[in-house]
Amino acid sequence: AACDLADQRALAGLLAAVTAEYPLTAIVHAEQARQDGPAGPPDIALIDQELESIMRAATNLDALTRERELSEFVLFSSVSGALGIPGHANHAPGHAFINALAHQRRAQGLPATSVAWGPCAGDTASGAAAGKPLPGLRPVMPAVAMTALGRLPEADTSLIVADISWKCLTEQVTTGSGRLFRDLPDAQEVTAPAEPG
């Protein structure tokens, strides 16, 4: 059914129609970032647009299903919201919000899992598919993605599904990388301070 999730009244009507016929046992919010650029400074207008869309949809789903007995409340986000990826500054804040909402729900005793995806094989919306590969991120194969989704019931609050070259990613993502990646063996040759002399 078509519905603008950012419209709380429309979403409430959809949920009422669905639950009149079927039991509602789980929510999967699979929002996809729509606009971003491969380089350049962040675009405040696009950040605002992405935040408005992602935050309203997620908070509406949260508010309208809190009283229901759900087994799962799954929010898809992007690895850019967890790690900070060059060229993805416009939608990273919205996906960071998704991760925070999942943690807030868990702290309140409600089910929630945030799945931060790296680029997936065959994803025409990703920079990798457009001939602009993301540094350090290889496409996730469909079989790996399906295996990860099958493990959601046992997952922690936040889950990253990505095929990452930590050395390559660390070379590209320099801001704060010493703190973020310093304990990863593959990244230590990049983050380790140079020997004196």
Side-chain angles (χ1 to χ4, degrees):
C3 178
D4 179 5
L5 300 187
D7 183 337
Q8 191 175 77
R9 181 177 296 180
L11 179 57
L14 174 64
L15 290 173
V18 168
T19 54
E21 288 193 66
Y22 308 101
L24 181 63
T25 60
I27 294 290
V28 178
H29 177 227
E31 176 83 10
Q32 178 175 312
R34 290 174 298 282
Q35 298 189 58
D36 227 316
D43 185 317
I44 299 302
L46 285 181
I47 290 175
D48 188 55
Q49 181 180 329
E50 289 287 329
L51 279 172
E52 176 76 7
S53 172
I54 293 172
M55 290 174 64
R56 280 191 180 275
T59 54
N60 284 344
L61 282 169
D62 171 46
L64 293 172
T65 61
R66 280 181 163 260
E67 304 304 318
R68 300 180 182 272
E69 294 292 329
L70 299 178
S71 61
E72 298 289 340
F73 188 94
V74 182
L75 301 164
F76 283 8
S77 67
S78 166
V79 70
S80 63
L83 299 178
I85 303 299
H88 288 243
N90 294 327
H91 70 257
H95 291 287
F97 172 83
I98 290 287
N99 297 335
L101 178 61
H103 281 275
Q104 181 186 55
R105 282 181 57 92
R106 280 285 184 107
Q108 295 168 343
L110 298 170
T113 304
S114 171
V115 183
W117 292 94
C120 293
D123 179 6
T124 56
S126 74
K132 300 167 184 172
L134 301 175
L137 292 175
R138 298 175 288 253
V140 175
M141 295 295 106
V144 175
M146 294 306 296
T147 298
L149 289 178
R151 294 178 178 169
L152 282 180
E154 62 197 56
D156 202 348
T157 309
S158 296
L159 177 69
I160 293 178
V161 182
D163 187 356
I164 300 174
S165 166
W166 290 108
K167 180 179 181 295
C168 180
L169 183 64
T170 304
E171 288 172 342
Q172 299 294 325
V173 184
T174 56
T175 303
S177 61
R179 294 187 299 276
L180 185 60
F181 301 142
R182 65 185 174 195
D183 293 331
L184 299 172
D186 290 346
Q188 284 178 350
E189 62 184 272
V190 178
T191 61
E195 291 291 334

PDB file of all heavy atoms in Angstrom, residues 93-116:
ATOM      1  N   PRO A  93      23.624  12.313   8.966  1.00  0.00           N
ATOM      2  CA  PRO A  93      22.954  12.689  10.222  1.00  0.00           C
ATOM      3  C   PRO A  93      21.627  11.969  10.438  1.00  0.00           C
ATOM      4  O   PRO A  93      21.304  11.564  11.554  1.00  0.00           O
ATOM      5  CB  PRO A  93      22.744  14.206  10.075  1.00  0.00           C
ATOM      6  CG  PRO A  93      23.801  14.645   9.126  1.00  0.00           C
ATOM      7  CD  PRO A  93      23.952  13.518   8.155  1.00  0.00           C
ATOM      8  N   GLY A  94      20.865  11.782   9.365  1.00  0.00           N
ATOM      9  CA  GLY A  94      19.594  11.071   9.494  1.00  0.00           C
ATOM     10  C   GLY A  94      19.791   9.633   9.915  1.00  0.00           C
ATOM     11  O   GLY A  94      19.034   9.089  10.732  1.00  0.00           O
ATOM     12  N   HIS A  95      20.819   9.004   9.383  1.00  0.00           N
ATOM     13  CA  HIS A  95      21.075   7.608   9.733  1.00  0.00           C
ATOM     14  C   HIS A  95      21.687   7.482  11.126  1.00  0.00           C
ATOM     15  O   HIS A  95      21.474   6.480  11.813  1.00  0.00           O
ATOM     16  CB  HIS A  95      21.930   6.957   8.655  1.00  0.00           C
ATOM     17  CG  HIS A  95      21.182   6.779   7.367  1.00  0.00           C
ATOM     18  ND1 HIS A  95      20.195   5.836   7.209  1.00  0.00           N
ATOM     19  CD2 HIS A  95      21.230   7.457   6.195  1.00  0.00           C
ATOM     20  CE1 HIS A  95      19.678   5.923   5.994  1.00  0.00           C
ATOM     21  NE2 HIS A  95      20.294   6.905   5.362  1.00  0.00           N
ATOM     22  N   ALA A  96      22.424   8.490  11.557  1.00  0.00           N
ATOM     23  CA  ALA A  96      22.884   8.505  12.951  1.00  0.00           C
ATOM     24  C   ALA A  96      21.681   8.607  13.892  1.00  0.00           C
ATOM     25  O   ALA A  96      21.654   7.983  14.965  1.00  0.00           O
ATOM     26  CB  ALA A  96      23.846   9.671  13.176  1.00  0.00           C
ATOM     27  N   PHE A  97      20.670   9.380  13.492  1.00  0.00           N
ATOM     28  CA  PHE A  97      19.442   9.478  14.288  1.00  0.00           C
ATOM     29  C   PHE A  97      18.746   8.124  14.392  1.00  0.00           C
ATOM     30  O   PHE A  97      18.248   7.751  15.462  1.00  0.00           O
ATOM     31  CB  PHE A  97      18.479  10.506  13.674  1.00  0.00           C
ATOM     32  CG  PHE A  97      17.132  10.515  14.333  1.00  0.00           C
ATOM     33  CD1 PHE A  97      16.922  11.236  15.492  1.00  0.00           C
ATOM     34  CD2 PHE A  97      16.072   9.782  13.808  1.00  0.00           C
ATOM     35  CE1 PHE A  97      15.678  11.223  16.124  1.00  0.00           C
ATOM     36  CE2 PHE A  97      14.835   9.765  14.422  1.00  0.00           C
ATOM     37  CZ  PHE A  97      14.633  10.491  15.583  1.00  0.00           C
ATOM     38  N   ILE A  98      18.699   7.381  13.283  1.00  0.00           N
ATOM     39  CA  ILE A  98      18.081   6.042  13.291  1.00  0.00           C
ATOM     40  C   ILE A  98      18.750   5.160  14.344  1.00  0.00           C
ATOM     41  O   ILE A  98      18.088   4.460  15.111  1.00  0.00           O
ATOM     42  CB  ILE A  98      18.210   5.401  11.894  1.00  0.00           C
ATOM     43  CG1 ILE A  98      17.307   6.109  10.890  1.00  0.00           C
ATOM     44  CG2 ILE A  98      17.911   3.914  11.939  1.00  0.00           C
ATOM     45  CD1 ILE A  98      15.847   5.839  11.038  1.00  0.00           C
ATOM     46  N   ASN A  99      20.083   5.192  14.377  1.00  0.00           N
ATOM     47  CA  ASN A  99      20.815   4.387  15.363  1.00  0.00           C
ATOM     48  C   ASN A  99      20.461   4.817  16.784  1.00  0.00           C
ATOM     49  O   ASN A  99      20.270   3.985  17.669  1.00  0.00           O
ATOM     50  CB  ASN A  99      22.323   4.522  15.135  1.00  0.00           C
ATOM     51  CG  ASN A  99      22.761   3.997  13.783  1.00  0.00           C
ATOM     52  OD1 ASN A  99      22.107   3.148  13.190  1.00  0.00           O
ATOM     53  ND2 ASN A  99      23.869   4.511  13.283  1.00  0.00           N
ATOM     54  N   ALA A 100      20.366   6.133  17.006  1.00  0.00           N
ATOM     55  CA  ALA A 100      20.043   6.646  18.336  1.00  0.00           C
ATOM     56  C   ALA A 100      18.625   6.243  18.759  1.00  0.00           C
ATOM     57  O   ALA A 100      18.389   5.911  19.927  1.00  0.00           O
ATOM     58  CB  ALA A 100      20.197   8.167  18.359  1.00  0.00           C
ATOM     59  N   LEU A 101      17.687   6.271  17.823  1.00  0.00           N
ATOM     60  CA  LEU A 101      16.307   5.883  18.144  1.00  0.00           C
ATOM     61  C   LEU A 101      16.239   4.420  18.572  1.00  0.00           C
ATOM     62  O   LEU A 101      15.519   4.074  19.515  1.00  0.00           O
ATOM     63  CB  LEU A 101      15.397   6.127  16.932  1.00  0.00           C
ATOM     64  CG  LEU A 101      13.931   5.715  17.109  1.00  0.00           C
ATOM     65  CD1 LEU A 101      13.271   6.495  18.243  1.00  0.00           C
ATOM     66  CD2 LEU A 101      13.161   5.927  15.798  1.00  0.00           C
ATOM     67  N   ALA A 102      16.993   3.565  17.898  1.00  0.00           N
ATOM     68  CA  ALA A 102      17.015   2.150  18.280  1.00  0.00           C
ATOM     69  C   ALA A 102      17.533   1.984  19.707  1.00  0.00           C
ATOM     70  O   ALA A 102      16.977   1.228  20.505  1.00  0.00           O
ATOM     71  CB  ALA A 102      17.869   1.348  17.299  1.00  0.00           C
ATOM     72  N   HIS A 103      18.593   2.713  20.049  1.00  0.00           N
ATOM     73  CA  HIS A 103      19.136   2.632  21.410  1.00  0.00           C
ATOM     74  C   HIS A 103      18.138   3.172  22.433  1.00  0.00           C
ATOM     75  O   HIS A 103      18.009   2.624  23.540  1.00  0.00           O
ATOM     76  CB  HIS A 103      20.463   3.391  21.493  1.00  0.00           C
ATOM     77  CG  HIS A 103      21.620   2.622  20.946  1.00  0.00           C
ATOM     78  ND1 HIS A 103      22.338   1.715  21.687  1.00  0.00           N
ATOM     79  CD2 HIS A 103      22.164   2.604  19.696  1.00  0.00           C
ATOM     80  CE1 HIS A 103      23.284   1.179  20.935  1.00  0.00           C
ATOM     81  NE2 HIS A 103      23.197   1.694  19.734  1.00  0.00           N
ATOM     82  N   GLN A 104      17.427   4.232  22.085  1.00  0.00           N
ATOM     83  CA  GLN A 104      16.431   4.787  23.000  1.00  0.00           C
ATOM     84  C   GLN A 104      15.310   3.785  23.263  1.00  0.00           C
ATOM     85  O   GLN A 104      14.892   3.583  24.411  1.00  0.00           O
ATOM     86  CB  GLN A 104      15.848   6.078  22.430  1.00  0.00           C
ATOM     87  CG  GLN A 104      14.810   6.729  23.347  1.00  0.00           C
ATOM     88  CD  GLN A 104      14.142   7.917  22.702  1.00  0.00           C
ATOM     89  OE1 GLN A 104      13.577   7.813  21.613  1.00  0.00           O
ATOM     90  NE2 GLN A 104      14.218   9.062  23.350  1.00  0.00           N
ATOM     91  N   ARG A 105      14.823   3.135  22.218  1.00  0.00           N
ATOM     92  CA  ARG A 105      13.756   2.141  22.397  1.00  0.00           C
ATOM     93  C   ARG A 105      14.229   0.978  23.274  1.00  0.00           C
ATOM     94  O   ARG A 105      13.502   0.524  24.165  1.00  0.00           O
ATOM     95  CB  ARG A 105      13.282   1.626  21.035  1.00  0.00           C
ATOM     96  CG  ARG A 105      12.361   2.570  20.291  1.00  0.00           C
ATOM     97  CD  ARG A 105      11.940   1.948  18.952  1.00  0.00           C
ATOM     98  NE  ARG A 105      11.289   0.662  19.130  1.00  0.00           N
ATOM     99  CZ  ARG A 105       9.955   0.496  19.256  1.00  0.00           C
ATOM    100  NH1 ARG A 105       9.151   1.550  19.230  1.00  0.00           N
ATOM    101  NH2 ARG A 105       9.466  -0.720  19.389  1.00  0.00           N
ATOM    102  N   ARG A 106      15.428   0.488  23.018  1.00  0.00           N
ATOM    103  CA  ARG A 106      15.949  -0.623  23.828  1.00  0.00           C
ATOM    104  C   ARG A 106      16.055  -0.213  25.293  1.00  0.00           C
ATOM    105  O   ARG A 106      15.735  -0.981  26.192  1.00  0.00           O
ATOM    106  CB  ARG A 106      17.318  -1.055  23.310  1.00  0.00           C
ATOM    107  CG  ARG A 106      17.298  -1.957  22.091  1.00  0.00           C
ATOM    108  CD  ARG A 106      16.899  -3.383  22.438  1.00  0.00           C
ATOM    109  NE  ARG A 106      16.991  -4.236  21.270  1.00  0.00           N
ATOM    110  CZ  ARG A 106      17.955  -5.157  21.079  1.00  0.00           C
ATOM    111  NH1 ARG A 106      18.901  -5.303  21.998  1.00  0.00           N
ATOM    112  NH2 ARG A 106      17.957  -5.890  19.999  1.00  0.00           N
ATOM    113  N   ALA A 107      16.510   1.012  25.537  1.00  0.00           N
ATOM    114  CA  ALA A 107      16.649   1.494  26.915  1.00  0.00           C
ATOM    115  C   ALA A 107      15.289   1.572  27.609  1.00  0.00           C
ATOM    116  O   ALA A 107      15.203   1.487  28.839  1.00  0.00           O
ATOM    117  CB  ALA A 107      17.322   2.861  26.933  1.00  0.00           C
ATOM    118  N   GLN A 108      14.225   1.723  26.830  1.00  0.00           N
ATOM    119  CA  GLN A 108      12.875   1.799  27.376  1.00  0.00           C
ATOM    120  C   GLN A 108      12.173   0.448  27.406  1.00  0.00           C
ATOM    121  O   GLN A 108      10.976   0.360  27.665  1.00  0.00           O
ATOM    122  CB  GLN A 108      12.052   2.805  26.563  1.00  0.00           C
ATOM    123  CG  GLN A 108      12.571   4.228  26.678  1.00  0.00           C
ATOM    124  CD  GLN A 108      11.948   5.181  25.670  1.00  0.00           C
ATOM    125  OE1 GLN A 108      11.355   4.768  24.668  1.00  0.00           O
ATOM    126  NE2 GLN A 108      12.072   6.474  25.924  1.00  0.00           N
ATOM    127  N   GLY A 109      12.934  -0.616  27.107  1.00  0.00           N
ATOM    128  CA  GLY A 109      12.378  -1.959  27.164  1.00  0.00           C
ATOM    129  C   GLY A 109      11.593  -2.381  25.936  1.00  0.00           C
ATOM    130  O   GLY A 109      10.864  -3.381  25.977  1.00  0.00           O
ATOM    131  N   LEU A 110      11.739  -1.652  24.842  1.00  0.00           N
ATOM    132  CA  LEU A 110      11.030  -1.976  23.606  1.00  0.00           C
ATOM    133  C   LEU A 110      11.987  -2.638  22.614  1.00  0.00           C
ATOM    134  O   LEU A 110      13.185  -2.376  22.624  1.00  0.00           O
ATOM    135  CB  LEU A 110      10.465  -0.699  22.981  1.00  0.00           C
ATOM    136  CG  LEU A 110       9.429   0.058  23.817  1.00  0.00           C
ATOM    137  CD1 LEU A 110       9.154   1.424  23.198  1.00  0.00           C
ATOM    138  CD2 LEU A 110       8.141  -0.744  23.940  1.00  0.00           C
ATOM    139  N   PRO A 111      11.457  -3.502  21.739  1.00  0.00           N
ATOM    140  CA  PRO A 111      12.346  -4.127  20.742  1.00  0.00           C
ATOM    141  C   PRO A 111      12.840  -3.096  19.738  1.00  0.00           C
ATOM    142  O   PRO A 111      12.095  -2.189  19.346  1.00  0.00           O
ATOM    143  CB  PRO A 111      11.424  -5.160  20.060  1.00  0.00           C
ATOM    144  CG  PRO A 111      10.039  -4.633  20.251  1.00  0.00           C
ATOM    145  CD  PRO A 111      10.056  -3.939  21.591  1.00  0.00           C
ATOM    146  N   ALA A 112      14.088  -3.208  19.346  1.00  0.00           N
ATOM    147  CA  ALA A 112      14.642  -2.310  18.320  1.00  0.00           C
ATOM    148  C   ALA A 112      16.015  -2.815  17.902  1.00  0.00           C
ATOM    149  O   ALA A 112      16.825  -3.201  18.747  1.00  0.00           O
ATOM    150  CB  ALA A 112      14.763  -0.878  18.827  1.00  0.00           C
ATOM    151  N   THR A 113      16.245  -2.818  16.610  1.00  0.00           N
ATOM    152  CA  THR A 113      17.559  -3.117  16.061  1.00  0.00           C
ATOM    153  C   THR A 113      17.799  -2.195  14.877  1.00  0.00           C
ATOM    154  O   THR A 113      16.949  -2.080  13.995  1.00  0.00           O
ATOM    155  CB  THR A 113      17.666  -4.580  15.581  1.00  0.00           C
ATOM    156  OG1 THR A 113      17.346  -5.457  16.657  1.00  0.00           O
ATOM    157  CG2 THR A 113      19.072  -4.886  15.084  1.00  0.00           C
ATOM    158  N   SER A 114      18.929  -1.523  14.875  1.00  0.00           N
ATOM    159  CA  SER A 114      19.328  -0.683  13.758  1.00  0.00           C
ATOM    160  C   SER A 114      20.355  -1.441  12.923  1.00  0.00           C
ATOM    161  O   SER A 114      21.369  -1.901  13.446  1.00  0.00           O
ATOM    162  CB  SER A 114      19.930   0.628  14.273  1.00  0.00           C
ATOM    163  OG  SER A 114      20.514   1.355  13.214  1.00  0.00           O
ATOM    164  N   VAL A 115      20.079  -1.579  11.630  1.00  0.00           N
ATOM    165  CA  VAL A 115      20.991  -2.276  10.729  1.00  0.00           C
ATOM    166  C   VAL A 115      21.610  -1.245   9.787  1.00  0.00           C
ATOM    167  O   VAL A 115      20.920  -0.672   8.936  1.00  0.00           O
ATOM    168  CB  VAL A 115      20.271  -3.365   9.904  1.00  0.00           C
ATOM    169  CG1 VAL A 115      21.281  -4.121   9.041  1.00  0.00           C
ATOM    170  CG2 VAL A 115      19.525  -4.329  10.818  1.00  0.00           C
ATOM    171  N   ALA A 116      22.896  -0.976   9.973  1.00  0.00           N
ATOM    172  CA  ALA A 116      23.617  -0.015   9.135  1.00  0.00           C
ATOM    173  C   ALA A 116      24.255  -0.776   7.974  1.00  0.00           C
ATOM    174  O   ALA A 116      25.160  -1.583   8.181  1.00  0.00           O
ATOM    175  CB  ALA A 116      24.671   0.718   9.954  1.00  0.00           C
TER     176      ALA A 116
END
